[in-house]
Amino acid sequence: MNTPERFSNLPDYAFPRLRKLLHGTEPGGEVVDMTIGEPRHGMPGFVAPVVAQTVDEFAKYPPNEGTPELKAAISGWISRRYGVSLDPETRVMALNGTREGLFNACLALCPERAANGDTPTVLIPNPFYQVYAVAAVAAGAEPVFVPATAETGFLPDFASLPEDVLARAEIAYLCSPSNPQGAVADALYWRELIGMAEGYGFRIFADECYSEVYRNAPPPGVLQVAAEMGADPEKIVSFHSLSKRSNLPGLRSGFVASGPANMAEIKRLRAYAGAPMPLPLQRVAELAWCDEAHVEESRALYARKYAIADEIFATWPEYTPPQGGFFLWLKVDDSEQATLKLWRETGVKVLPGAYLGREVAGVNPGAGYIRVAMVTKDTDELQDGLTRLRDCLAG
Ligand SMILES: Cc1ncc(COP(=O)(O)O)c(C=O)c1O
């Protein structure tokens, strides 16, 4: 009997691959780590007091879907940010960060068969945040990688897919602002995608965990555009996180919002297999969604970082200033060679774009890029790291 190939042929995750690449090579200068998307701006001041005040609640099993207060805080934030009113009991649920939600919602909502009886497809931008692909495979679907390159404005052109692939599509992941490219889906992009989702009968999984890290205007959200169109809410599943918005990646807190039928399915699976957030941490999350001051402060620091990057890379070939998120996606000849050279000669550590893309028909759309996370605590370290990077790789 054949062993089913589900996870056995997954490539190693990006960070172990990076460790292997750099293993045995000494850094050529003081290390500046720009690999992982872990924000190092200060976390909000209310975290410690809230945990201290609610510490006794570690003695209780937490509600799986989030406390009523947390769900109300999430719904309130959605209403203020997007002008959309969602019933907190039926339309939102707390997550332990978006990663688990992006995985588990796919398991909960992807049917075993497409409408025509064939294997369903899950559409994934390429390059992409890696959980999308493993979620598709875990659900027994066929992942279809759709290039999100300079030619397509760094967003996937789902409409270019063959009819057969679209007919079998059950889920399309879209990240906006996108990791790694920093591209933002505008309202027109969302409208066209929502139109396709309704026409072909698939759900949009909108990964909006970078929605509050932007340079000019707030990126439009899928919930807002869908509401304006009067679209079927069951075609929209939106994911948000406190990791990037509130500099709380260790809190493991986010939410999913969708139509009541989808939410019921997601909650049913969570009741069996979910890992709810500890109650004191749900209390912190509740406060975080109610406060914008700390978010604005962090965004102001990102604004200074965008300006520094734009200046340093003004003459970098094909430099595309990120519209949102905190990554630079810089064109190089070969992503692994550039990463290794940079480490060996300067001690600046970045991620090869190849590790974020999948090779399709001999082409990995990440292979000619490096991803640079602008997550340093202060701008001096950023200025120093980016200058060393430019001087090393441009020279
Ligand atoms: C595109 C994208 N989606 C989701 C996540 C997961 O974030 P979290 O689980 O911390 O909310 C990340 C984290 O880096 C990300 O870059």
Side-chain angles (χ1 to χ4, degrees):
M1 207 177 89
N2 287 337
T3 312
E5 269 197 7
R6 190 171 292 183
F7 306 124
S8 56
N9 61 352
L10 276 179
D12 278 343
Y13 202 65
F15 297 107
R17 286 174 80 182
L18 177 64
R19 282 195 286 278
K20 209 184 273 181
L21 177 75
L22 303 184
H23 182 75
T25 305
E26 288 301 314
E30 199 182 329
V31 173
V32 180
D33 188 348
M34 297 186 165
T35 56
I36 190 165
E38 177 190 66
R40 286 178 230 133
H41 299 185
M43 65 181 183
F46 51 76
V47 175
V50 173
V51 173
Q53 280 155 21
T54 56
V55 72
D56 290 349
E57 292 189 317
F58 279 122
K60 295 181 186 161
Y61 273 120
N64 251 329
E65 302 165 5
T67 61
E69 296 84 3
L70 173 54
K71 286 184 284 187
I74 290 169
S75 170
W77 181 79
I78 293 172
S79 160
R80 289 189 301 280
R81 173 69 167 84
Y82 296 124
V84 179
S85 167
L86 299 184
D87 174 4
E89 287 310 312
T90 58
R91 303 291 301 274
V92 302
M93 188 187 84
L95 295 173
N96 296 55
T98 43
R99 184 169 59 178
E100 68 90 356
L102 290 159
F103 181 82
N104 286 314
C106 182
L107 291 192
L109 296 178
C110 187
E112 280 149 35
R113 294 276 146 216
N116 66 4
D118 287 344
T119 303
T121 56
V122 170
L123 315 181
I124 298 175
N126 191 18
F128 58 101
Y129 185 58
Q130 300 293 295
V131 76
Y132 312 155
V134 79
V137 174
E142 179 193 338
V144 174
F145 299 103
V146 187
T149 59
E151 289 72 40
T152 62
F154 291 112
L155 292 170
D157 179 10
F158 290 123
S160 68
L161 287 169
E163 195 57 29
D164 153 63
V165 169
L166 289 170
R168 290 186 291 128
E170 292 295 342
I171 290 169
Y173 282 96
L174 187 81
C175 185
S176 174
S178 69
N179 170 7
Q181 310 95 323
V184 166
D186 62 13
L188 178 63
Y189 185 98
W190 281 125
R191 268 202 293 279
E192 287 177 357
L193 184 57
I194 293 167
M196 284 179 70
E198 294 199 307
Y200 288 100
F202 61 78
R203 294 179 176 92
I204 298 168
F205 275 27
D207 181 352
E208 300 182 275
C209 69
Y210 292 97
S211 68
E212 304 316 290
V213 183
Y214 54 83
R215 126 183 341 240
N216 298 317
V222 73
L223 293 168
Q224 162 194 354
V225 178
E228 282 161 12
M229 290 170 72
D232 175 3
E234 304 298 343
K235 292 286 171 279
I236 311 295
V237 189
S238 172
F239 299 85
H240 283 263
S241 176
L242 292 176
S243 299
K244 327 291 179 182
R245 173 186 179 272
S246 299
N247 303 314
L248 288 170
L251 188 69
R252 310 308 307 131
S253 185
F255 72 80
V256 54
S258 187
N262 286 344
M263 292 307 302
E265 290 295 309
I266 292 171
K267 288 176 180 178
R268 196 149 52 118
L269 182 64
R270 191 176 185 85
Y272 284 95
M277 285 180 76
L279 262 170
L281 307 190
Q282 296 201 31
R283 306 293 182 202
V284 173
E286 180 191 326
L287 237 76
W289 288 114
C290 294
D291 182 64
E292 288 301 324
H294 71 281
V295 185
E296 282 156 19
E297 202 179 308
S298 186
R299 197 156 46 233
L301 185 49
Y302 284 120
R304 295 205 291 282
K305 291 179 166 188
Y306 291 138
I308 289 171
D310 289 355
E311 196 183 319
I312 292 177
F313 295 104
T315 58
W316 189 270
E318 296 180 44
Y319 173 66
T320 309
Q323 294 169 271
F326 46 57
F327 296 113
L328 300 177
W329 186 237
L330 297 176
K331 186 98 189 72
V332 293
D333 285 339
D334 176 288
S335 70
E336 282 190 321
Q337 278 175 23
T339 301
L340 194 54
K341 176 178 159 72
L342 191 59
W343 175 249
R344 193 176 47 234
E345 295 183 11
T346 72
V348 174
K349 207 198 275 189
V350 298
L351 193 65
Y355 299 174
L356 301 170
R358 279 296 169 91
E359 187 173 310
V360 178
V363 179
N364 179 337
Y369 290 86
I370 50 172
R371 193 191 75 175
V372 184
M374 298 196 290
V375 289
T376 56
K377 199 167 178 56
D378 59 55
T379 49
D380 288 350
E381 189 187 359
L382 182 82
Q383 175 100 35
D384 169 52
L386 294 185
T387 307
R388 282 198 264 155
L389 185 159
R390 180 200 57 198
D391 294 348
C392 171
L393 295 183

